Amino acid sequence: MSAASSPLAATSGADLLLWVAVPYVCLAVFVVGHVWRYRQDQFGWTSRTTQLLEHWLRWGSPLFHLGAFLMIAGHVVGLAVPDSWTEAAGIGEHAYHTAAVWAGSVAGVAMVAGLGMLCARRLLTRRVRLGTDRSDRLLFPLLSATVLLGIAATFAHNVLGAGYDYRSTVSVWFRGLFALQPHPEAIAGAPLLFRLHALTAFLLFAAWPFTRLVHVWSAPVGYLFRPYLVYRRRAAPPAARTSPTTPASPASPPR
């Protein structure tokens, strides 16, 4: 294929920058940043929890993490799995679209509610606010923007609108990046909300290694497979034996 007939040759410079250069730079920072963070800051490889289990964290953390897990699973299926595979498995476009919209809406509401509680906790609880560093001031707005833009795109086009098949555009572009065959033209014509959501998501990937999000890779999965801990009652120590007090012998007179 000649350079003139290549899809990249007909793509504008702005689209090449936004949908090819920026994603690859963000992915490179994602990989190299994790290596650097692990080698330089292993003791900081935590979620830096405050251990303050007040009502904000008691409800916000489970809602956020449950919604995040469901959203990640939905994105893996929607972006990484081609629509031909789901159709071969007997899942039609209408069934997939309906399930994706409803499941994604529930997961999005749970994630937004949890994230809102966590952000309110960080702003309103003084001890938590004092523990907020510069990386948190970058992470929370960027994470909130990514989540809200994704939910806004779903509701605007697939709940309230006529529907938009992102698997024929955004998914093609996303898979092309990892196959080293980028298709910027596939996402360049997508609705604005989908493009903004994709762009903020890659910026979040670039910020990931330098924030508390690294604790995702330290999830205690081993606890699910470790052997049971056996607790045994410690036997009471035997009572100390008391012997009758023997009077001290009188001192012998000096010789």
Side-chain angles (χ1 to χ4, degrees):
M1 180 181 293
S2 63
S5 61
S6 174
L8 293 181
T11 306
S12 66
D15 288 338
L16 287 175
L17 175 64
L18 289 176
W19 311 121
V20 179
V22 170
Y24 279 131
V25 169
C26 292
L27 290 175
V29 174
F30 179 84
V31 175
V32 176
H34 275 92
V35 175
W36 175 86
R37 178 76 181 270
Y38 186 79
R39 293 173 64 90
Q40 301 293 328
D41 188 28
Q42 289 192 30
F43 290 104
W45 192 285
T46 67
S47 62
R48 299 201 308 272
T49 177
T50 58
Q51 302 296 332
L52 299 176
L53 193 60
E54 73 279 5
H55 65 282
W56 291 111
L57 187 61
R58 185 181 296 111
W59 293 102
S61 181
L63 281 174
F64 172 76
H65 285 91
L66 178 61
F69 292 150
L70 294 176
M71 293 286 283
I72 291 172
H75 278 69
V76 168
V77 175
L79 295 176
V81 178
D83 51 0
S84 59
W85 291 16
T86 55
E87 291 177 359
I91 304 174
E93 178 60 30
H94 178 72
Y96 172 84
H97 176 79
T98 303
V101 168
W102 283 103
S105 299
V106 172
V109 170
M111 191 173 180
V112 168
L115 183 60
M117 291 181 184
L118 295 179
C119 291
R121 170 180 179 265
R122 189 157 297 276
L123 292 174
L124 300 178
T125 305
R126 182 176 182 274
R127 286 180 292 178
V128 178
R129 187 170 64 251
L130 292 177
T132 302
D133 59 11
R134 288 179 295 180
S135 66
D136 293 327
R137 295 186 178 93
L138 170 66
L139 170 63
F140 281 92
L142 188 55
L143 180 60
S144 300
T146 304
V147 173
L148 293 176
L149 284 170
I151 294 176
T154 299
F155 272 86
H157 294 279
N158 291 330
V159 176
L160 303 178
Y164 177 73
D165 185 15
Y166 64 89
R167 294 204 294 172
S168 63
T169 56
V170 180
S171 299
V172 173
W173 161 77
F174 182 80
R175 292 194 300 270
L177 291 175
F178 293 92
L180 300 182
Q181 295 178 352
H183 297 281
E185 75 283 353
I187 191 175
L192 178 61
L193 288 174
F194 282 94
R195 285 180 285 157
L196 292 176
H197 175 59
L199 188 59
T200 54
F202 272 98
L203 294 177
L204 182 63
F205 287 152
W208 191 309
F210 313 104
T211 64
R212 65 177 67 223
L213 287 180
V214 294
H215 80 279
V216 171
W217 314 119
S218 301
V221 180
Y223 281 95
L224 301 175
F225 307 101
R226 71 175 187 177
Y228 292 104
L229 297 179
V230 179
Y231 291 92
R232 293 186 176 90
R233 184 184 300 275
R234 179 179 296 177
R241 296 181 179 179
T242 56
S243 57
T245 304
T246 55
S249 56
S252 56
R255 296 181 180 177

